[in-house]
Amino acid sequence: MHRSLLVACVVLVSLGFGQFLAAEPALKEVFRGDFRIGVAVDTAEIKADGHGGAPSISHHFNSVSPCNFMKWEPFNPKPGVYRTEAADAFVDFGERNDMLIVGHVLFWHKQTPAWVFQDEQGNPVTREVLLERMRERVRFVAKRYGKRIGAWDVVNESIENDGRLRQSKWVKIIGDDFIEQAFRIAGEELPAGVELLYNDFSMATPAKRQAVVRMIRDLKAKGLRIDGVGMQGHWALDSPKTKQIEQSIVAYADAGVKVHITELDIDVLPRTKDMWNPAVAAKLEKDPKLDPYRDGLPDEVQAKLAKRYADLFDMFLQHRDKIERITFWGLHDGTSWLNQFPIKGCVNHPLLFDRDGKPKPAFHAVVAAKSEKRAP
Ligand code: GLA
């Protein structure tokens, strides 16, 4: 290396530009013009952004989703009690960094406090009371955040994989028109321009796909607004097939909505069919066969993961006109929920950044999917 260039590098590094010189390409720039790249974050990650070795949120991402703190339980644990500090800081952060800020989630059968469904004596409330409580929640966030939150997951996980309506407390009290009522309230209370989404897992399963398409068409026929669907993207190395995911993207777009890949991670651990049952999972906690990558991911699995991500992004790029955003569910492998689910205390490797915050082969494969211009 020429001496003056070497000196310049040493000076820059000593001035603290080391991180800048070493920085990998920003995902949001790689895919600018295709779709946004998002990440789900918690409060500590926002505070630490750019420090402490984790990947930089503001460098890589132009959309953020809240992990837990805007769900009904943590946000509004008791009637009239709102804990907004985390959400306020999250929205400020997203705004400062010019990101699409996603609200997650207005109505879900999980992480909703019991009081929502009960009167003071603990009896189930009426349909009217529950609809009013739903409206109050939406009014509150509409008043506090307005258009600063650009998209809301209005309903999460209300259709079963076989296409039937989930028999949640929402449906038991409100009736089969729960989803319709939720979108009616969201459409009336949130400002125009805020995107309203239906979000769910297994959205590539044909029976569920058909049910979601029917639901979208039904809402639209009733004059209600639904702007997008969120395909959660909690996928595995071999399933669902990329083709099946693609068929869903096309079907949802044909039904007249944008597609958001909302919770992307690729589970690399061996799974058994029944381990999704919590009682079974608890018994399997000490089984080393189900947690084989505690010391790191072997090269061959690393390569499989990279190939899976490359295939997905190749396909996403081919449908860039239909896809608005790809959001990863977690910033790096160390903080992924898949270390705790379905079995507690596993070492999973589902994301693009490893536990040290370093880009993995999967990261470079995703960048290459774009730069090799395999997409049109
Ligand atoms: C679902 C929810 C998310 C999150 C994940 C697990 O997909 O939509 O909010 O709870 O499960 O981390």
Side-chain angles (χ1 to χ4, degrees):
M1 189 188 282
H2 195 279
R3 196 157 168 258
S4 53
L5 187 58
L6 181 68
V7 172
C9 286
V10 172
V11 170
L12 283 172
V13 170
S14 63
L15 284 173
F17 283 84
Q19 203 190 349
F20 176 73
L21 285 175
E24 57 277 346
L27 291 170
K28 67 180 181 190
E29 298 307 338
V30 172
F31 294 101
R32 194 173 286 283
D34 299 317
F35 28 68
R36 286 179 183 268
I37 303 289
V39 63
V41 291
D42 67 22
T43 313
E45 284 170 332
I46 294 172
K47 275 202 190 128
D49 192 32
H51 307 280
S56 164
I57 302 167
S58 44
H59 176 68
H60 282 296
F61 301 98
N62 50 12
S63 176
V64 270
S65 301
C67 283
N68 283 305
F69 48 82
M70 297 195 87
K71 292 171 181 170
W72 200 321
E73 173 97 71
F75 192 77
N76 177 200
K78 296 197 178 110
V81 176
Y82 286 92
R83 305 231 160 97
T84 60
E85 207 185 320
D88 292 353
F90 162 79
V91 173
D92 286 347
F93 175 83
E95 200 166 48
R96 258 198 326 275
N97 290 292
D98 199 20
M99 293 167 159
L100 169 69
I101 303 167
V102 180
H104 175 76
V105 48
L106 288 174
F107 308 117
W108 192 22
H109 62 287
K110 291 185 179 162
Q111 292 182 263
T112 301
W115 70 261
V116 172
F117 304 103
Q118 294 170 355
D119 64 16
E120 277 164 15
Q121 286 73 48
N123 299 315
V125 291
T126 61
R127 167 182 162 100
E128 283 63 38
V129 169
L130 188 52
L131 289 173
E132 196 43 42
R133 287 181 180 175
M134 290 166 68
R135 190 174 290 277
E136 264 171 45
R137 169 159 167 78
V138 185
R139 255 189 205 150
F140 186 94
V141 294
K143 180 153 183 262
R144 194 165 187 94
Y145 304 116
K147 287 179 89 157
R148 299 169 74 200
I149 294 189
W152 267 102
D153 291 336
V154 176
V155 172
N156 202 23
E157 302 179 354
S158 270
I159 295 176
E160 302 275 10
N161 292 355
D162 63 6
R164 281 180 302 177
L165 194 61
R166 182 187 290 281
Q167 293 304 300
S168 62
K169 282 190 186 160
W170 300 110
V171 169
K172 286 196 177 124
I173 296 176
I174 291 170
D176 286 355
D177 62 343
F178 156 61
I179 298 180
E180 177 188 329
Q181 294 303 331
F183 275 88
R184 188 178 298 284
I185 291 168
E188 284 169 4
E189 300 295 338
L190 290 168
V194 173
E195 287 180 87
L196 309 183
L197 314 183
Y198 175 80
N199 190 53
D200 211 329
F201 58 81
S202 299
M203 292 279 275
T205 303
K208 189 154 182 166
R209 176 196 304 148
Q210 282 157 20
V212 172
V213 164
R214 262 200 312 278
M215 183 261 299
I216 298 166
R217 293 194 194 282
D218 179 56
L219 294 180
K220 283 181 176 281
K222 289 184 169 125
L224 296 172
R225 191 147 62 81
I226 172 165
D227 304 294
V229 291
M231 298 178 68
Q232 285 188 1
H234 297 300
W235 295 321
L237 282 172
D238 303 313
S239 73
K241 298 278 175 247
T242 308
K243 189 86 212 151
Q244 227 181 311
I245 298 170
E246 180 175 27
Q247 284 164 349
S248 281
I249 291 172
V250 171
Y252 299 137
D254 281 351
V257 294
K258 280 279 181 187
V259 175
H260 296 234
I261 307 294
T262 49
E263 304 186 18
L264 181 57
D265 46 26
I266 303 295
D267 187 350
V268 300
L269 292 183
R271 299 301 187 196
T272 63
K273 233 183 166 169
D274 51 353
M275 77 196 315
W276 310 102
N277 171 341
V280 177
K283 287 198 197 115
L284 296 174
E285 257 173 50
K286 300 275 175 293
D287 186 344
K289 282 199 297 307
L290 298 174
D291 189 17
Y293 309 133
R294 295 198 73 83
D295 299 329
L297 206 55
D299 288 350
E300 101 223 29
V301 191
Q302 197 79 264
K304 257 186 129 183
L305 179 69
K307 167 92 171 51
R308 173 67 158 155
Y309 268 115
D311 290 348
L312 285 171
F313 272 78
D314 262 353
M315 185 270 285
F316 293 154
L317 282 167
Q318 283 165 36
H319 296 285
R320 57 204 280 279
D321 56 327
K322 308 173 186 67
I323 298 177
E324 181 152 336
R325 152 179 76 102
I326 314 283
T327 288
F328 291 87
W329 201 251
L331 188 53
H332 63 83
D333 287 345
T335 55
S336 167
W337 71 300
L338 290 170
N339 297 308
Q340 305 304 331
F341 181 85
I343 298 183
K344 285 204 180 70
C346 286
V347 178
N348 213 327
H349 306 261
L351 296 166
L352 300 188
F353 297 94
D354 68 16
R355 287 172 161 68
D356 298 322
K358 299 277 177 307
K360 294 158 61 177
F363 174 95
H364 299 294
V366 161
V367 172
K370 173 68 187 183
S371 60
E372 283 166 17
K373 300 215 173 13
R374 280 180 264 178

